[in-house]
Amino acid sequence: MKKGKKLYEGKAKIIYASSDKNLVIQYFKDDATAFNNQKKSTIEGKGVLNNRISEHILSNLSQIGIKNHLVKRLNMREQLIKFVEIIPIEFVVRNVATGSLTKRLGIEDGTVLKEPLIEYCLKDDELGDPLIAEEHIYAFEWASKKEIEKVKKMILRINDFMIGMFRGVGIKLIDFKLEFGRVKLNGKSEVILADEISPDTCRLWDSITEKKLDKDRFRKDLGDLIPAYTEVAKRLGILHEQSNVTAVNVTKLSSVKKKSK
Ligand code: TMP
Ligand code: ASP
């Protein structure tokens, strides 16, 4: 698949055109940001790990019938994905209260929610991705009622599946963020899961120690992020025991190759 011109650059990923107009290439960067870009860093190997972890989760979701944008992983940093029109909403799913929810509402950190809570944020960096009500989505026609009903059903299935998948490897799925997009299938618009699912977009706590295995390590300066993401990848069976620093080594190798060209 030939890589075309850069179409869009976000905080953690770049989208390139491909030789097929319905498909694009998603490149995972090593850049990490938090608090709407106020805190920034480059963490070598993060993109490689997120590419692998997201591929694993999205292909598993595909197997249980959750349609998503992933076509295939191309290499250590890139995936071939379907070109979608992103719905400008970040769907935050919470099983345990922490993060912005506890700050906003004074709920005790770690409170287990009786049912998964879905929150909506407008995807707008300049406004700091503000929390919105479902009614705002319809008032400003960011998505239709039919689309949101479908998205909500998909979210609950995704959450059930991911809770089980992570529980099986000793990890609690605390919360996560999803994005959805529209594709044309046989002339009809359909909503599918898009973006990525990785420790950048989830909160993952070790089931026993509650050690944070996600981007909170960076947000809250909890120490190295790469060993935590590597641990998640290993537990999911993506990386093997001996490959402790595989992602970083591969990154180094690929940058050496590029430089010597
Ligand atoms: P929050 O508690 O900061 O609102 O985050 C809730 C979840 O959403 C958490 O798993 C991190 C994820 N998230 C993103 O993936 N991107 C974002 O821009 C934000 C604010 C949160
Ligand atoms: N992704 C957001 C940012 O870049 C926030 C976050 O993940 O905490 O600032």
Side-chain angles (χ1 to χ4, degrees):
M1 184 57 65
K2 254 183 101 185
K3 193 150 118 190
K5 67 168 198 263
K6 191 197 279 191
L7 299 176
Y8 169 81
E9 178 156 4
K11 287 178 289 212
K13 295 185 294 294
I14 306 175
I15 302 292
Y16 295 95
S18 80
S19 38
D20 180 333
K21 71 172 179 15
N22 297 313
L23 304 177
V24 290
I25 292 167
Q26 171 166 258
Y27 176 96
F28 287 76
K29 301 196 280 185
D30 282 341
D31 296 350
T33 65
F35 316 115
N36 201 24
N37 236 346
Q38 287 176 46
K39 183 170 177 174
K40 282 188 213 178
S41 188
T42 302
I43 304 172
E44 200 174 337
K46 178 177 82 75
V48 175
L49 286 160
N50 282 347
N51 181 20
R52 297 289 301 269
I53 295 169
S54 193
E55 175 206 15
H56 179 84
I57 298 176
L58 265 60
S59 33
N60 275 281
L61 286 171
S62 187
Q63 281 169 26
I64 61 153
I66 302 289
K67 288 189 187 165
N68 64 66
H69 72 170
L70 180 70
V71 177
K72 63 174 177 182
R73 183 167 63 82
L74 294 170
N75 53 50
M76 294 306 275
R77 288 203 177 263
E78 293 173 324
Q79 302 178 344
L80 188 63
I81 59 170
K82 289 182 184 148
F83 180 68
V84 302
E85 179 202 350
I86 285 283
I87 293 175
I89 311 289
E90 296 199 344
F91 298 84
V92 173
V93 190
R94 301 184 187 271
N95 297 307
V96 175
T98 192
S100 68
L101 174 68
T102 51
K103 291 199 189 85
R104 203 186 321 126
L105 302 178
I107 309 290
E108 194 182 339
D109 199 274
T111 306
V112 177
L113 303 173
K114 283 207 186 87
E115 281 177 22
L117 173 67
I118 303 177
E119 291 179 335
Y120 308 94
C121 296
L122 179 64
K123 209 174 137 57
D124 186 325
D125 281 344
E126 277 179 27
L127 298 176
D129 297 341
L131 183 74
I132 52 167
E134 194 177 316
E135 283 70 19
H136 289 106
I137 302 176
Y138 310 132
F140 303 109
E141 297 182 339
W142 290 317
S144 69
K145 281 198 174 160
K146 213 172 145 193
E147 286 174 330
I148 296 299
E149 284 315 313
K150 188 177 169 201
V151 163
K152 283 204 261 185
K153 282 191 188 138
M154 287 169 86
I155 284 178
L156 295 180
R157 289 195 61 212
I158 294 167
N159 188 39
D160 275 350
F161 175 81
M162 282 179 41
I163 287 176
M165 179 187 74
F166 281 118
R167 187 183 290 146
V169 297
I171 293 174
K172 279 197 263 190
L173 176 64
I174 303 301
D175 58 27
F176 56 104
K177 185 263 302 180
L178 297 174
E179 294 184 28
F180 292 83
R182 301 182 184 99
V183 277
K184 277 246 153 57
L185 279 179
N186 307 323
K188 271 178 80 180
S189 171
E190 192 179 358
V191 173
I192 63 171
L193 175 66
D195 193 49
E196 70 175 288
I197 304 181
S198 72
D200 263 14
T201 62
C202 300
R203 281 200 178 91
L204 304 169
W205 295 359
D206 180 88
S207 300
I208 295 165
T209 63
E210 301 215 325
K211 181 179 170 187
K212 313 294 185 273
L213 300 171
D214 55 68
K215 204 169 99 175
D216 269 353
R217 301 207 70 77
F218 167 71
R219 292 190 192 98
K220 299 179 166 182
D221 297 318
L222 299 177
D224 269 3
L225 174 149
I226 293 295
Y229 284 33
T230 305
E231 176 70 24
V232 173
K234 274 188 191 167
R235 291 203 201 174
L236 290 173
I238 302 166
L239 293 181
H240 301 294
E241 281 312 310
Q242 71 277 19
S243 50
N244 205 0
V245 284
T246 303
V248 174
N249 287 344
V250 168
T251 318
K252 282 188 181 146
L253 268 180
S254 61
S255 62
V256 168
K257 264 196 217 144
K258 260 183 228 142
K259 275 179 205 144
S260 62
K261 260 184 199 166

